[in-house]
Amino acid sequence: MSLSAFGLNCTLKSCDAPSSTQKMLDAVLAALARHDVRTDSARVADFDVRPGVTADEGDGDQWPQLRRRIMEAQILVLATPIWMGHPSSLAQRVLERLDAVLGEIDDDGVYPTFGKVAIAAVVGNEDGAHFVHSQLYQGLADVGFTLPAGSPPYWVGEAMGSTDFKDLDTIPDKVDETIRTIASNAAHLARLLAERPYPKPER
């Protein structure tokens, strides 16, 4: 069964500026590709994503372009750096804009995102990776995504240090192992959900 994954890089850096978050996202997407998953990604900073909680805020809002790619894929990879102990402001905005999904639940209680799998990936030079993951996963689950089993991938450098994830020559073994595991589980779960969608809630 053909699957696709779409990655959103929530770095604050736009265009092709070196990004540790992009390196982490690329590693997760490469691991998914080994399971016959087609992959693509975008940087949220390169788009004019307006504040709001609707699917389209109008007046040049470019969120609809990203939302369409999210909805076309079976797997979403949401990658963010840690900023002051929290997800980046762009990651938070993605969650806020995904809130529109709650207004699109059909009469049977089925979300348009049911059957889609989400992975969160985090990088930073300070503590807080588990807290950031908990915020992202709670929001993604609330709007209907299914989360694969396993520890989500992250890398955290020395507190107040100067080495970024993008500066590493190789990905640490434990991080690589976590990426491979979550990618395998995500692809497996997405295929299962595609073959056997969630049933409509009983009345």
Side-chain angles (χ1 to χ4, degrees), residues 33-166:
R34 291 196 286 272
H35 296 275
D36 297 321
V37 178
R38 292 176 289 105
T39 67
D40 194 12
S41 68
R43 290 194 187 195
V44 180
D46 291 339
F47 295 81
D48 185 3
V49 178
R50 301 294 171 88
V53 293
T54 69
D56 188 347
E57 290 292 325
D59 192 27
D61 181 25
Q62 293 183 309
W63 170 250
Q65 299 176 39
L66 297 176
R67 187 182 193 273
R68 182 177 63 254
R69 294 165 77 179
I70 291 171
M71 300 306 288
E72 289 173 348
Q74 290 77 48
I75 302 171
L76 169 65
V77 183
L78 185 60
T80 182
I82 300 170
W83 277 107
M84 298 183 179
H86 296 270
S88 75
S89 58
L90 293 180
Q92 180 63 33
R93 178 153 299 183
V94 168
L95 293 179
E96 291 165 352
R97 295 304 301 270
L98 284 171
D99 184 76
V101 165
L102 300 180
E104 300 168 9
I105 300 170
D106 68 19
D107 293 339
D108 292 315
V110 177
Y111 294 47
T113 46
F114 276 3
K116 296 185 182 298
V117 173
I119 300 172
V122 174
V123 294
N125 287 99
E126 55 186 284
D127 197 7
H130 285 159
F131 176 67
V132 169
H133 274 298
S134 70
Q135 290 182 295
L136 297 181
Y137 272 177
Q138 179 65 59
L140 290 166
D142 279 351
V143 295
F145 288 89
T146 301
L147 312 177
S151 175
Y154 70 89
W155 180 87
V156 177
E158 181 183 6
M160 301 183 185
S162 58
T163 300
D164 293 328
F165 185 64
K166 62 181 171 57

